[in-house]
Amino acid sequence: MFAQDKYPVSLSVGDKVPSLIWREQLTAVSVIGENTISLADFKDKAIILDFWTSWCAPCLKNMPILDSIHRENNRDLKVIMMNASISRTGYDKEQKFIRQFLTDHQNFFSPLTLRSDLYRKYFYFRVVPHYVWIGADGKVKALTDHTQFSKENISRFISGKSLSLTPKTQ
């Protein structure tokens, strides 16, 4: 009898992000190549994970907006844009898309990473865009859609104040 894989329970608001996620190596794609990053590189900062796909028009429209929020708050906030494609054969297509996107958006600041199945399991969602707000204390503060991004909400998030954001339902 084969042992079954034990899948993690999707994290909810208030949950502490497990060390397994902090250590998970993510492939960040740039115009010239790839490098690896992990959430641990940004410990003690507020982090927003932006799950997106290349066919999602709202995702692509919001990426420059979120990137400018990241750029304005870089000292205290890290935004990681994570491709959420579930295609097993699309890895090369994802890389090409990201490289073309970065060629078209020369001043893009936020890291664009390839899919991580582990992240998809811990931060489960059905619909993109999907945003995970992780506080500097390592806890999930919110799971939202794009409508929750405002200067006030970002400021409260970075400063560790309580958030009253509308949760995403899918």
Side-chain angles (χ1 to χ4, degrees):
M1 191 173 246
F2 295 101
Q4 293 181 349
D5 286 338
K6 223 178 192 181
Y7 291 107
V9 175
S10 185
L11 296 175
S12 300
V13 172
D15 289 346
K16 190 148 183 74
V17 175
S19 60
L20 178 68
I21 290 291
W22 288 101
R23 291 188 315 263
E24 173 77 356
Q25 295 292 301
L26 302 170
T27 302
V29 178
S30 72
V31 175
I32 57 171
E34 298 176 358
N35 65 319
T36 57
I37 62 172
S38 70
L39 287 189
D41 297 334
F42 315 112
K43 212 146 185 148
D44 301 326
K45 283 191 177 192
I47 298 171
I48 295 176
L49 300 176
D50 171 8
F51 289 91
W52 62 278
T53 61
S54 60
W55 48 262
C56 170
C59 296
L60 300 179
K61 180 181 175 191
N62 291 324
M63 286 169 71
I65 296 166
L66 198 52
D67 185 60
S68 87
I69 291 169
H70 182 191
R71 188 182 306 274
E72 290 170 16
N73 299 283
N74 183 45
R75 191 178 44 195
D76 304 308
L77 174 70
K78 189 67 177 179
V79 175
I80 299 172
M81 304 200 178
M82 185 170 298
N83 185 277
S85 172
I86 56 172
S87 169
R88 298 259 182 235
T89 59
Y91 199 80
D92 290 335
K93 276 178 31 179
E94 292 169 18
Q95 287 174 313
K96 287 177 187 172
F97 176 85
I98 292 170
R99 285 196 178 111
Q100 184 60 54
F101 181 88
L102 292 171
T103 298
D104 296 342
H105 298 85
Q106 293 281 324
N107 296 322
F108 205 80
F109 183 73
S110 303
L112 287 151
T113 66
L114 296 173
R115 174 186 84 240
S116 166
D117 292 336
L118 185 65
Y119 273 66
R120 284 187 63 91
K121 290 173 187 170
Y122 273 96
F123 303 111
Y124 181 77
F125 57 90
R126 288 189 207 143
V127 177
V128 290
H130 180 73
Y131 302 99
V132 178
W133 304 51
I134 302 170
D137 63 357
K139 292 184 180 179
V140 177
K141 300 298 182 183
L143 304 167
T144 70
D145 64 16
H146 67 283
T147 62
Q148 301 305 299
F149 291 108
S150 69
K151 286 188 182 229
E152 180 184 346
N153 286 342
I154 294 294
S155 178
R156 290 183 69 78
F157 175 55
I158 290 171
S159 65
K161 295 179 180 171
S162 66
L163 297 172
S164 180
L165 305 180
T166 304
K168 185 173 175 240
T169 58
Q170 294 188 30

